[in-house]
Amino acid sequence: STTTIPPTTVDATSTTLAQTTTTEIPTELVELYYVAGSQLNPVSVPLTSPVSPQRALTALQEADLGALGLGLRTTTPADAEITVTRERGTAIIDLPPDIFASMPTRDQKLFFAQLVLTIGQLGGIGPVLFSTAGEPSTAVRGDTTVAEAGVPVTIDDYQNLLPGAVAVTTTTTTAPPPPETATGSTIGG
């Protein structure tokens, strides 16, 4: 007896393994300054390197404050067109004309402090000048004095708003008035 085995067919299949490509994007930690009460607190945020002053300010405006921590807020409106340029180590921050329209006066020094402290710690930035719609404008310092239009401010002008800053108080003393002298009177007479 003869047995015939039918031919066997095997389907050829090919398997392709997916390759994963990773690209490293260099980042650096940048301190963005946010308001907590009447002080500014730095929050370290990774940003794509190299970090430009404009990128740091954009990150300051766009941060998800709920994710950063309780009690933090910003005075920088998310929709405000704030631009920064750099000329020979001086940053020039240009603000829109209506930036202070709905900002409480007490927040103005915090607003300037947030901007100056955030970009002032980047390499190559020293003094900061402010302009509004391209024209030189004033800036409120941390002690509430006003830097006149065209006069720069620095991070030193806002150190009193950082945690652990020593409050500077001034005491004024006045000498008591001199004792009054009797004139034109005579005793017994």
Side-chain angles (χ1 to χ4, degrees):
S1 107
T2 318
T3 307
T4 309
I5 300 176
T8 305
T9 357
V10 176
D11 291 331
T13 60
S14 65
T15 304
T16 305
L17 296 175
Q19 290 184 340
T20 305
T21 305
T22 58
T23 304
E24 281 191 37
I25 299 173
T27 60
E28 59 186 276
L29 283 179
V30 175
E31 290 186 338
L32 305 179
Y33 286 81
Y34 292 98
V35 178
S38 61
Q39 290 187 317
L40 292 172
N41 289 317
V43 175
S44 295
V45 177
L47 297 177
T48 305
S49 184
V51 177
S52 69
Q54 186 66 55
R55 177 67 188 114
L57 289 186
T58 300
L60 182 69
Q61 287 180 275
E62 295 176 347
D64 177 8
L65 295 177
L68 293 177
L70 294 174
L72 294 179
R73 67 182 181 93
T74 184
T75 59
T76 58
D79 59 346
E81 290 187 40
I82 299 172
T83 59
V84 61
T85 55
R86 193 171 19 187
E87 290 182 17
R88 292 184 238 153
T90 299
I92 302 165
I93 298 177
D94 192 56
L95 305 172
D98 61 346
I99 190 81
F100 300 112
S102 61
M103 185 183 299
T105 304
R106 70 180 182 276
D107 279 355
Q108 290 181 14
K109 73 177 178 181
L110 298 170
F111 169 78
F112 285 106
Q114 276 191 274
L115 301 180
V116 172
L117 290 170
T118 294
I119 68 165
Q121 41 95 30
L122 299 175
I125 301 267
V128 179
L129 287 170
F130 283 90
S131 62
T132 302
E135 295 298 318
S137 64
T138 61
V140 180
R141 294 183 185 102
D143 63 2
T144 67
T145 61
V146 176
E148 296 300 321
V151 175
V153 292
T154 67
I155 58 174
D156 292 338
D157 291 313
Y158 302 98
Q159 294 298 308
N160 65 317
L161 299 175
L162 296 174
V166 177
V168 176
T169 58
T170 56
T171 306
T172 306
T173 57
T174 55
E180 290 189 37
T181 57
T183 56
S185 66
T186 57
I187 299 180

